[in-house]
Amino acid sequence: MTAPAAPAASPAILEALAGRRHADGRTPIWFMRQAGRSLPEYRSLRERAGVSMLDACLDPALAAEVTLQPVRRHGVDAAVFFSDIMVPLRLAGVGVRIEPGVGPVMDAPVRTADDVARLTEHRLGEGSGADGRSNAEGVRAIEQAVRLVVRELGSPVAASEPGSTAPGGALSERALAGLAESRGEAGWSPVIGFGGAPFTLAAYLVEGRPSRDHLAARGLMHADPAAWDRLMTWCAELTGAFIALQVRAGASAAQLFDSWAGSLRPADYRKKVAPYSARVLDVAREAVSPTTGARVPLIHFGTGTARILADMRDAGADVVGVDDRTEIAEALDALAGSLTGVGPVQGNLDPALLTAPWEVLGDTVDRAVEEGRRAPGHVLNLGHGVPPTTDPDVLTRVVARAHGSADWERAALAGWDGIA
């Protein structure tokens, strides 16, 4: 399947998400969880700041800097906004914290119809958090952080004005080269916003913390359909508003993460979950990005979702993310059963291979790029997030391989210059 070439002035990743091949043949790439834990400069910044994960997400300058770090270092085709799927819960006044080594923990799990009724009285940006900070201030912090990132990465308008996209502050030549690699011929790099899908949010709310089987959430789904509907509708509206917030601040694409959807039977997913994910995508699709002056492409990603990829597409996704348990060819065959047909895909390098010898990893990147050519559009990514122990220089080399850039591979092999 050969897609028509697009003008080189548009970022390769936006062309791929639209189902078109970039004129220069470049395969765009970004990494889930690229902003954060795998980078020494991130760990150094967090240590200096001395703040919790959720507080870091609500510090505009800090969140913007962390978002930009992997773009400067790796030359990836887009920045993914540094935040967490728990942030909108916090900004709606829900008691939640992220415990190191555990993950999100709720102050009060939502287990009954009365619990759901109390929860759904909360609204994004209303009230204040346990620290006394107004949630409206937190919403403004998200907007400001996205705008700061867009200011450094540029826009179609800024790209046409020489010098207007120069990043603020003193950056090393290596960091400037990373920004240039990311921008490519388009002269600017998009920002990807994101949010957690309703089922994943509901699973955390009901379980109260991470779970292997989500038994309590699945139990509520079947035991009290009315409470489940109310809970899922609230989660959909909340995360839809959170994604739309990022888009209106300047994000040029967005991804809906449904981390736990793979734990469901396909029939339960279609009936009890997909309609609410569709609502998120509907809300997000109404937002217009000032960066592009248009509505943005929406990616739908989950793990263990091979059996429901077509359903995820039919929920309204422009692009479906493929995890590392599913071959791209298998995913395309599954998506052929979608009511809207096969669309662009994203994925799906195995994160475990990041520790393999380069001969193995490099060949795997080549195969993934080649397999992706069967799709109308393909964005290379991992099949899950970057492991925290990953060597950052390996990620940079993967980007160079995907881009087919010998110059950028030499920069990867030379290593990072230590700017923090």
Side-chain angles (χ1 to χ4, degrees):
M1 181 183 304
T2 302
S10 181
I13 191 166
L14 294 187
E15 292 304 316
L17 295 176
R20 296 187 292 265
R21 291 289 170 191
H22 202 252
D24 66 3
R26 170 166 163 165
T27 294
I29 179 172
W30 67 284
F31 302 105
M32 288 180 279
R33 292 182 179 164
Q34 68 185 19
R37 58 191 188 172
S38 67
L39 295 182
E41 54 266 39
Y42 164 76
R43 295 192 291 270
S44 175
L45 185 62
R46 277 286 304 279
E47 183 177 354
R48 293 198 303 270
V51 295
S52 70
M53 171 65 181
L54 293 181
D55 285 336
C57 294
L58 296 175
D59 180 320
L62 182 59
E65 176 64 19
V66 176
T67 300
L68 289 162
Q69 284 176 343
V71 185
R72 299 171 185 152
R73 182 188 269 255
H74 302 314
V76 284
D77 289 82
V80 60
F81 183 55
F82 175 73
S83 190
D84 191 272
I85 63 172
M86 295 293 110
V87 167
L89 292 179
R90 173 161 169 169
L91 294 181
V94 178
V96 58
R97 63 191 183 279
I98 297 183
E99 293 188 357
V102 177
V105 176
M106 304 296 157
D107 289 350
V110 178
R111 298 286 176 83
T112 68
D114 287 343
D115 293 339
V116 172
R118 284 190 292 271
L119 173 74
T120 54
E121 293 176 355
H122 294 258
R123 294 291 181 272
L124 185 71
E126 294 182 1
S128 59
D131 58 358
R133 180 182 185 181
S134 78
N135 291 325
E137 181 183 350
V139 167
R140 290 191 293 271
I142 297 295
E143 294 173 323
Q144 184 181 354
V146 174
R147 292 188 184 114
L148 287 171
V149 176
V150 172
R151 184 181 304 169
E152 178 162 316
L153 296 184
S155 69
V157 173
S160 66
E161 301 171 0
S164 64
T165 61
L171 295 177
S172 69
E173 288 300 317
R174 174 62 174 74
L176 292 172
L179 291 172
E181 178 68 22
S182 173
R183 289 169 175 159
E185 295 181 26
W188 65 284
S189 302
V191 179
I192 300 173
F194 78 95
F199 178 72
T200 289
L201 291 184
Y204 279 117
L205 285 163
V206 177
E207 303 290 343
R209 58 179 50 232
S211 166
R212 290 182 180 273
D213 49 26
H214 319 292
L215 282 177
R218 290 158 53 201
L220 180 64
M221 174 194 299
H222 296 289
D224 194 337
W228 182 253
D229 173 70
R230 188 172 183 178
L231 173 62
M232 290 288 282
T233 299
W234 183 83
C235 288
E237 296 292 340
L238 181 73
T239 203
F242 184 62
I243 293 173
L245 174 72
Q246 296 166 70
V247 172
R248 288 194 296 268
S252 300
Q255 176 161 298
L256 183 64
F257 284 86
D258 210 348
S259 304
W260 310 131
S263 68
L264 298 166
R265 294 188 307 163
D268 286 339
Y269 177 81
R270 284 189 286 270
K271 184 177 180 180
K272 301 286 190 177
V273 172
Y276 305 97
S277 291
R279 178 59 186 154
V280 176
L281 296 170
D282 286 344
V283 172
R285 187 169 282 108
E286 289 303 309
V288 173
S289 172
T291 303
T292 60
R295 296 174 181 176
V296 306
L298 300 171
I299 309 162
H300 199 177
F301 171 78
T303 57
T305 53
R307 297 185 298 166
I308 57 173
L309 289 175
D311 301 305
M312 294 170 68
R313 167 89 163 139
D314 289 338
D318 300 298
V319 181
V320 175
V322 183
D323 74 3
D324 49 275
R325 308 173 202 177
T326 308
E327 298 290 346
I328 290 178
E330 292 178 292
L332 294 174
D333 289 344
L335 288 168
S338 164
L339 298 175
T340 50
V342 176
V345 295
Q346 178 179 279
N348 65 334
L349 299 173
D350 184 349
L353 289 173
L354 294 173
T355 60
W358 178 249
E359 292 75 14
V360 175
L361 178 55
D363 287 348
T364 303
V365 173
D366 293 343
R367 285 197 302 274
V369 168
E370 187 59 34
E371 290 171 6
R373 297 190 190 283
R374 290 186 52 192
H378 176 224
V379 176
L380 190 61
N381 206 317
L382 298 176
H384 204 261
V386 175
T389 56
T390 301
D391 179 350
D393 291 338
V394 170
L395 293 177
T396 310
R397 200 172 181 189
V398 169
V399 173
R401 189 73 163 232
H403 287 175
S405 171
D407 288 343
W408 194 236
E409 181 162 13
R410 282 192 289 272
L413 292 172
W416 182 243
D417 62 7
I419 186 173

